[in-house]
Amino acid sequence: MKTAVPMFFINGFKNFIDRFFTRKSSALLFWLSIFIGLLAGTVSALFDHGIIWISELRLELVHHYGEGGIPLWLIAIPISSLMAATAFYLTHRFAPESGGSGIPEIEGAMEGMRPVRWKRVIPVKFVGGLLALGSGMALGREGPSVQLGANVGRMISDIFKVNKVDGQALLAAGAAGGLAAAFNAPLAGIMFVIEEMRSQFNYSLTSTKSVFMSAVMATIVMRIFTDQDAVVTVTQYSHPDLNTLGFYLILGFCFGVIGIFFNKLILWTQDLYLSIHKGRRWHFVGIGAALGGLFGMLSIVAPDIAFSGMELIPHVEGGQFFAGGLLLLFILRTLTTLLSFGSGAPGGVFAPTLALGTLFGMLFGLVGQALFPTIITEPGAFAIAGMGGLFAATVRAPITGILLVIEMTSNYEMILPLIVTCLGATMVAQSLGGRPIYTQLLERTLKLAMRAKRQETTDKAMNRSLDRYKK
């Protein structure tokens, strides 16, 4: 009789497991999505704190060795160069797919065209991303967070041996959790998967709930590690005058044109780098070392054109720059963003794009205020709208851009001008034949993979011919 009660509970627990955790039940996917969200949020939080830690460590080393009177920028060059070179080496040697933002890789994986080697990608993306971003390069942390979250999703899928359809849902759930945690924006993380990955995502009630749960849990974890404040501290604007909506539409038209050229420049820069290193490892690492040295110097002498640009947004929106300075900063940051992201360094382009949108939006607001002072009284509001405008034009995900900016800045009353700006940017970009940047990057990756495979096949055939000739 003494063992009857424990056996009752043991059998009851087994029945519970069989009922709720069977692979045939959606309950398993539900609980796995929660677990993935927790892991994705934890990884993203550690990545965020790691960037801060390694950046502060780099500055401490620079100031320590600069006590002898050596210029700080001169000391920063070799330190940042070594950091970036290590990041490039790890990427090329162990997981080339961890280069760049990694978002095209996830989209390709959801279509079954790209592998997800999470055992390699998770450590390489994490460490390489820390070193690349910590060196001062103009990259964002959201790309690594998305790829890390998605790879966590695939890891859990492999461990629990879920089927292909559920595995795709968990991959998407991890990606949503990564973006939600990176920007403290759960709605934007959810919408990014639904909107940006619409051609790859298998829409169903179960898969959609998985994405929701992961994004929510990842955000909760991130807020436990950090706080619940908005990522960017800016002015809280009231509902704009309806007379200004036409100007927001014009701003969106401008971003539609800028976005097309920006996407073309990204692809052109990547092709330029490829023509230089031709896939050879030490040439690739050499480029990383040179870029690291350059951005190490810039991080000391001109920090406004280095780093992700997130720290710059409040200063721009706060009116600390004149129109001429904003134009110069926009041009220089466009250049540094292209140099960083186009190189294949493990980092994202979301944050630099948001910073560029803020710069141009503020410039537009100041010019508009000078021409129409009675209508445009708050140029900073155009800076907020600009954050979403350029994102919508380049990524072609306007709803994600709107939600992302609102959640990042807590400017909920800016929703109408954001909608108008993002809609205008998307319409112009689409009418001019522009295509989403991640779609183009995925196509480029697939073409390069096919080219490499054909070259490998040709080389093997030539080697066999040579062997037969020697015999």
Side-chain angles (χ1 to χ4, degrees), residues 283-302:
H283 289 198
F284 183 71
V285 173
I287 289 174
L291 287 173
L294 172 64
F295 281 94
M297 179 186 68
L298 291 176
S299 67
I300 301 297
V301 301

Side-chain angles (χ1 to χ4, degrees), residues 267-278:
L267 296 171
W268 178 82
T269 307
Q270 289 189 335
D271 290 339
L272 178 63
Y273 275 118
L274 182 60
S275 67
I276 295 173
H277 63 72
K278 294 182 174 61

Side-chain angles (χ1 to χ4, degrees), residues 156-400:
I156 299 302
S157 298
D158 291 346
I159 292 173
F160 284 85
K161 296 180 172 60
V162 300
N163 59 47
K164 184 178 180 181
V165 174
D166 290 345
Q168 185 198 49
L170 294 180
L171 188 72
L179 183 61
F183 287 121
N184 198 7
L187 279 176
I190 294 166
M191 186 52 63
F192 177 73
V193 170
I194 295 175
E195 186 179 30
E196 165 60 21
M197 300 180 179
R198 56 190 177 274
S199 61
Q200 299 92 11
F201 185 57
N202 181 30
Y203 289 95
S204 68
L205 182 59
T206 301
S207 60
T208 304
K209 285 193 297 185
S210 299
V211 169
F212 271 69
M213 289 306 305
S214 177
V216 169
M217 297 309 299
T219 306
I220 291 173
V221 171
M222 191 66 176
R223 291 183 181 183
I224 291 173
F225 274 89
T226 54
D227 52 53
Q228 298 196 49
D229 296 332
V231 174
V232 180
T233 304
V234 294
T235 306
Q236 298 299 301
Y237 295 96
S238 59
H239 294 290
D241 194 315
L242 295 179
N243 294 330
T244 63
L245 291 182
F247 292 96
Y248 287 103
L249 185 61
I250 296 172
L251 175 62
F253 291 163
C254 294
F255 277 126
V257 176
I258 293 172
I260 289 177
F261 283 106
F262 185 70
N263 287 356
K264 289 182 179 296
L265 286 172
I266 287 177
L267 296 171
W268 178 82
T269 307
Q270 289 189 335
D271 290 339
L272 178 63
Y273 275 118
L274 182 60
S275 67
I276 295 173
H277 63 72
K278 294 182 174 61
R280 289 172 288 192
R281 179 172 302 154
W282 293 110
H283 289 198
F284 183 71
V285 173
I287 289 174
L291 287 173
L294 172 64
F295 281 94
M297 179 186 68
L298 291 176
S299 67
I300 301 297
V301 301
D304 286 341
I305 61 175
F307 303 110
S308 68
M310 294 296 291
E311 300 82 4
L312 181 65
I313 291 176
H315 302 299
V316 172
E317 183 274 334
Q320 297 185 19
F321 296 91
F322 295 109
L326 290 171
L327 179 60
L328 179 62
L329 203 54
F330 177 79
I331 294 171
L332 291 176
R333 279 208 65 90
T334 300
L335 179 61
T336 54
T337 300
L338 292 172
L339 285 174
S340 300
F341 186 70
S343 67
V349 75
F350 267 30
T353 301
L354 294 173
L356 289 173
T358 307
L359 286 166
F360 189 85
M362 190 66 185
L363 175 61
F364 183 93
L366 290 176
V367 173
Q369 185 181 44
L371 296 175
F372 306 97
T374 58
I375 301 178
I376 299 179
T377 58
E378 294 179 316
F382 287 87
I384 302 300
M387 291 176 66
L390 187 56
F391 178 90
T394 55
V395 181
R396 198 67 61 74
I399 302 177
T400 303

